[in-house]
Amino acid sequence: MEQRVARLVPLLFFLLPGQYAEACGTSRCCLQDPPYQNTDSGFPPSSASGPRDLNCYRILSACYECSWEYDGPAAGVSHFLRCCLRPGHCCYFSVGSATKLQFSEQDGVSVFQNVTLWVESWAANRTEKSPKITLKLHSSVKYDPPRPEDIKVSLSAGQLYLEWETPARKDGAEVQFRHRTPGSSWKLGDCGHQDDAGFESCLCPLEINEAQEFQLRRRQLGPGAQNSPWSNWSSPVCVPPEPPPQPNVSFLVKPLGPDGRRQVTLQRQLPQLQLPEGCRESKSGAEVTYHLHLHMLSCTCKAQARRTLRLNKTLNLSGAAYDLAVFSRNRFGCGPNQSWHIPAHTHTEPGALNISAGANGTTMSWAVWAPGLTYCIEWQPQGQDKSPANCILTVPKDQASAGTATHHWSRASGAMGQKACYHITIFSSARPEKPTSWSTVLSTYHFGGNASEAGSPQHMSVKMLSPDSVSVDWVPSLLSTCPGVLKKYVVRYWDEDSNQVSELLVNPTETQVTLGGLRAGTAYSVQVRADTATLRGAWSQPQRFHMEIQLSESSYLPIILASLGSFLSILLLGVLGYFSLNRALPHLCPPLPTPYASTAVEFPGSQGKQAWQWTSPADFLEGEEESLKEGLVMMMPCEKAKVADLDTPSPLKDKTELLRGTPEPALDTELPLEDRRQVQGHPQARVLGPSGQDSLEGSPAQVAGLSLHLGN
């Protein structure tokens, strides 16, 4: 019943214009004629100036609004909103120079029936009209745009993805967007119909290396809402350039100061961003910030090792090793970074740390800077920089009273127990949770284990330089590999006769010394040891050497002459003995005859065919003796001589075979003295064997020692 009454009230205004003509005002729709003439005159709707883009809609349950745009000077212009239920039944609202009007159903406008509305603008004695619209005001609802703080912006496959929560009771909307870059005009885009309940989204283009400004608007979409008005454009949604520009950054590291900290100066040149007009305010979303990521590499046992800072110009850091990274951050997250490494401060301070090792373990002490500090002790074997160092956090007690801080390790812990060189660094901090609060207390080297025995020099050698001096060399001590640990070498030597000991000091960088003033003919021994600032080293094994007696140059000449005379005498005796032996050798050892050069084995032709028969050695000797007495010699030419063929069977051969078969006489049979002389006087005499060769084997003449001489 109330809704029907509400619908009849506007109709009464249109049906009874005369009764309410005097009631015109700015808050109600006046049924009288407008206070200007020629209402139908003026520029056509397509004119370049005048009112345009009229929208009328419901904004609350019983409140309505009409808004429009006006092109032209705002001074001296009066706007009138005209409303007609049907021709001849119209009213108007006098708005003045404003371009927006709110009214309710009680102001005389029908909201449940189609109403035609337009705007007439009066300026300079002329009227300009906007295009007319016809709609039911109650069904025309204007949606609200999404709030920028509710819009989430992300990157998706090279595009921008915008998402927000749907306003209450305003589902099923159509969404549009517009965007622009610095110095460009707006470009319109469509997000489409939103079907998802509770959330709406839009996929927008991404401009590379440029910032963008986006705005969104919504309108009702559904049955009876074909002419629903668009919402206002949302506040700017700003998008930073992607990828973000990188700054030019460099670092300058100063030496470590007396406070144990070094100043790191940052030299930077940040890029200047070009932003669209709506994104030039702070915290608009298009800004790019730059940060510094700090990572303290030393003292890994501390609670906090990393921290992110704003990109300031100066940092105060300890002498530890750090990794620095400068990176950009925008609404999409962190961009690529630029990294630097600051190495650890390697300057050592010998003597600043007192270390003592005993049966109960190792104890170290150092000077206290301030009470209540937390100390980080870090040690690492030399040459193992790539492996993590050992460290321990400690808060020493009674720091203020003693003036020194002390820390003790038991032998069971194994800390610095190996015979090796260790690099020890101590840091301090009043706020250990902050990586930028640490300071370097000291940095030094220490040789672990039994340094006295490990540092003893090895492989000594002694070389003679002169009759009274020698050079002593040795291999460098293991302590020399530890910077600042080895302080000196001590060389001592003594003669074994009087045991008088002398010592020499040698610089730690030298491994050779010359010993002078030594006595000839004396035996000496030498030793070397390596000392630290607080520890005396162990002596090396004694090296014994003897100083020989050296002769003068004038005494060398007699020795050389005597040696030369002896050599020449031996050579002369050898030459004389050689020639004497050559002259006496033919007499001592006469040459033996050559069988083939003698004619003793040749037989005349008549004798070669005779058969010789010797019945006994006596017959042979008798015949031989007679032949020798007669001295019968037969001479014949060589070319006519015929050698008997002893291989041809003959009576002589048979006789010889028979003669071999006779029994051998006793070996001790002796020839007469005269026969022996004849045999000795004929050295070329030979015994003729069975085959015509010289042989005594198996014949009676061999056994008796006879020589048969057969002439031609």
Side-chain angles (χ1 to χ4, degrees):
M1 185 63 181
E2 294 179 356
Q3 186 176 6
R4 292 180 180 178
V5 173
R7 291 180 179 180
L8 290 175
V9 172
L11 291 176
L12 292 176
F13 285 105
F14 286 106
L15 294 176
L16 301 173
Q19 297 180 7
Y20 293 91
E22 299 178 357
C24 290
T26 57
S27 62
R28 299 180 64 87
C29 190
C30 183
L31 298 176
Q32 298 178 1
D33 294 332
Y36 49 87
Q37 298 178 358
N38 301 323
T39 56
D40 293 333
S41 63
F43 292 94
S46 60
S47 175
S49 62
R52 61 180 176 82
D53 295 341
L54 175 62
N55 287 310
C56 295
Y57 41 81
R58 177 166 59 91
I59 57 176
L60 295 175
S61 60
C63 187
Y64 301 87
E65 182 180 82
C66 289
S67 62
W68 61 92
E69 299 289 338
Y70 178 76
D71 293 332
V77 65
S78 297
H79 300 292
F80 297 90
L81 177 63
R82 300 298 302 273
C83 179
C84 291
L85 182 62
R86 62 179 181 272
H89 295 81
C90 299
C91 65
Y92 70 89
F93 289 96
S94 179
V95 184
S97 61
T99 58
K100 183 184 294 185
L101 173 67
Q102 290 186 359
F103 57 90
S104 67
E105 188 179 1
Q106 303 301 324
D107 293 330
V109 179
S110 177
V111 296
F112 292 100
Q113 295 180 358
N114 285 332
V115 178
T116 301
L117 300 103
W118 73 94
V119 176
E120 293 181 356
S121 300
W122 173 259
N125 295 326
R126 66 182 181 184
T127 304
E128 296 171 337
K129 298 180 181 180
S130 70
K132 295 180 180 181
I133 60 173
T134 301
L135 74 163
K136 290 181 181 181
L137 290 173
H138 190 273
S139 301
S140 178
V141 180
K142 183 179 181 181
Y143 280 179
D144 295 328
R147 297 182 302 174
E149 57 269 19
D150 296 336
I151 299 176
K152 298 178 181 179
V153 184
S154 60
L155 297 175
S156 176
Q159 291 184 303
L160 289 173
Y161 182 73
L162 281 65
E163 184 182 27
W164 62 92
E165 188 176 353
T166 304
R169 299 185 299 276
K170 294 182 179 181
D171 297 335
E174 181 184 3
V175 181
Q176 287 183 344
F177 70 89
R178 65 178 182 177
H179 67 106
R180 63 181 176 181
T181 57
S184 66
S185 58
W186 289 106
K187 297 179 182 179
L188 189 64
D190 188 16
C191 299
H193 183 212
Q194 305 297 315
D195 296 329
D196 295 339
F199 286 93
E200 295 175 348
S201 62
C202 186
L203 200 61
C204 304
L206 175 65
E207 296 290 340
I208 302 299
N209 298 325
E210 284 191 307
Q212 295 184 87
E213 178 186 358
F214 285 87
Q215 289 183 347
L216 301 171
R217 67 179 181 178
R218 306 168 64 247
R219 74 173 179 177
Q220 185 183 17
L221 187 65
Q226 291 82 3
N227 296 322
S228 296
W230 285 101
S231 69
N232 297 330
W233 287 106
S234 67
S235 298
V237 178
C238 298
V239 176
E242 186 63 28
Q246 296 296 313
N248 294 325
V249 181
S250 61
F251 290 92
L252 178 62
V253 182
K254 294 185 178 180
L256 194 69
D259 59 347
R261 298 167 70 83
R262 50 185 172 173
Q263 189 178 69
V264 180
T265 303
L266 174 65
Q267 299 174 350
R268 61 180 183 176
Q269 183 178 0
L270 301 181
Q272 298 295 327
L273 295 180
Q274 299 293 329
L275 300 176
E277 183 179 353
C279 299
R280 294 172 183 173
E281 298 179 358
S282 61
K283 299 183 179 180
S284 63
E287 67 274 0
V288 179
T289 57
Y290 298 94
H291 302 266
L292 174 66
H293 183 75
L294 177 69
H295 182 198
M296 183 176 176
L297 303 178
S298 303
C299 194
T300 56
C301 55
K302 57 185 178 298
Q304 186 69 26
R306 302 174 185 266
R307 190 179 182 186
T308 300
L309 308 169
R310 294 298 296 266
L311 198 58
N312 299 322
K313 294 184 178 181
T314 304
L315 293 173
N316 290 316
L317 304 177
S318 68
Y322 292 89
D323 278 342
L324 302 180
V326 174
F327 63 94
S328 60
R329 177 179 291 172
N330 54 26
R331 68 183 308 158
F332 299 124
C334 297
N337 60 45
Q338 306 175 57
S339 58
W340 294 265
H341 176 73
I342 299 180
H345 180 72
T346 57
H347 177 69
T348 59
E349 301 175 1
L353 181 65
N354 295 322
I355 301 178
S356 60
N360 297 328
T362 303
T363 302
M364 64 172 54
S365 60
W366 62 93
V368 173
W369 283 10
L373 295 179
T374 299
Y375 293 92
C376 176
I377 305 174
E378 182 183 66
W379 68 95
Q380 185 179 35
Q382 187 184 25
Q384 299 183 11
D385 298 338
K386 295 183 178 180
S387 60
N390 302 302
C391 70
I392 186 173
L393 290 176
T394 179
V395 182
K397 299 179 180 179
D398 301 332
Q399 302 180 38
S401 60
T404 58
T406 304
H407 186 76
H408 177 77
W409 285 283
S410 63
R411 182 178 292 272
S413 65
M416 292 182 288
Q418 299 179 357
K419 294 181 179 180
C421 181
Y422 292 89
H423 182 209
I424 302 176
T425 308
I426 299 180
F427 304 95
S428 66
S429 174
R431 300 179 62 183
E433 70 279 0
K434 294 181 61 177
T436 56
S437 65
W438 290 93
S439 301
T440 301
V441 177
L442 59 88
S443 176
T444 187
Y445 286 90
H446 171 70
F447 197 91
N450 192 341
S452 176
E453 296 181 359
S456 178
Q458 303 294 326
H459 306 291
M460 283 196 311
S461 62
V462 180
K463 183 172 61 176
M464 189 76 65
L465 296 180
S466 66
D468 62 344
S469 64
V470 295
S471 173
V472 180
D473 298 84
W474 61 90
V475 175
S477 169
L478 290 178
L479 301 181
S480 63
T481 61
C482 246
V485 173
L486 180 62
K487 293 302 178 182
K488 61 183 177 180
Y489 288 108
V490 179
V491 179
R492 74 173 180 181
Y493 62 99
W494 65 94
D495 64 276
E496 298 181 355
D497 296 337
S498 62
N499 290 329
Q500 183 179 358
V501 179
S502 300
E503 290 188 356
L504 294 176
L505 300 182
V506 183
N507 293 329
T509 58
E510 299 178 2
T511 57
Q512 184 271 338
V513 69
T514 299
L515 306 182
L518 305 180
R519 298 195 308 272
T522 305
Y524 289 88
S525 295
V526 61
Q527 288 179 307
V528 183
R529 76 165 189 256
D531 294 349
T532 66
T534 59
L535 185 65
R536 181 176 178 179
W539 289 108
S540 63
Q541 293 295 327
Q543 180 73 23
R544 190 175 182 276
F545 63 95
H546 188 270
M547 300 299 295
E548 300 293 340
I549 298 176
Q550 302 292 330
L551 298 178
S552 61
E553 296 182 357
S554 59
S555 60
Y556 290 158
L557 185 58
I559 298 177
I560 295 175
L561 294 177
S563 301
L564 182 60
S566 301
F567 173 74
L568 294 177
S569 301
I570 295 174
L571 181 62
L572 181 60
L573 291 176
V575 171
L576 295 176
Y578 173 76
F579 285 108
S580 301
L581 184 62
N582 284 342
R583 294 177 62 87
L585 187 61
H587 301 281
L588 297 176
C589 301
L592 297 177
T594 302
Y596 295 102
S598 174
T599 57
V601 295
E602 295 182 4
F603 296 90
S606 59
Q607 293 181 358
K609 296 180 180 180
Q610 272 184 328
W612 292 42
Q613 183 176 4
W614 297 333
T615 57
S616 65
D619 296 336
F620 169 76
L621 294 176
E622 184 180 359
E624 178 67 15
E625 183 178 2
E626 291 295 331
S627 64
L628 293 175
K629 289 180 179 181
E630 294 177 358
L632 180 63
V633 177
M634 296 179 67
M635 304 295 294
M636 61 185 304
C638 294
E639 62 270 10
K640 294 181 180 183
K642 294 182 180 179
V643 180
D645 188 2
L646 299 182
D647 293 333
T648 303
S650 62
L652 180 62
K653 185 176 182 179
D654 295 338
K655 293 292 181 178
T656 306
E657 294 295 333
L658 292 175
L659 187 61
R660 287 185 177 184
T662 60
E664 296 181 0
L667 296 178
D668 55 353
T669 304
E670 295 184 0
L671 293 178
L673 177 61
E674 184 179 357
D675 294 337
R676 288 199 304 269
R677 290 177 179 175
Q678 289 182 351
V679 173
Q680 293 176 358
H682 296 82
Q684 295 181 352
R686 295 291 184 270
V687 177
L688 184 65
S691 59
Q693 298 176 354
D694 297 337
S695 175
L696 296 177
E697 180 183 0
S699 65
Q702 178 186 10
V703 176
L706 299 178
S707 297
L708 178 63
H709 177 72
L710 297 179
N712 290 329

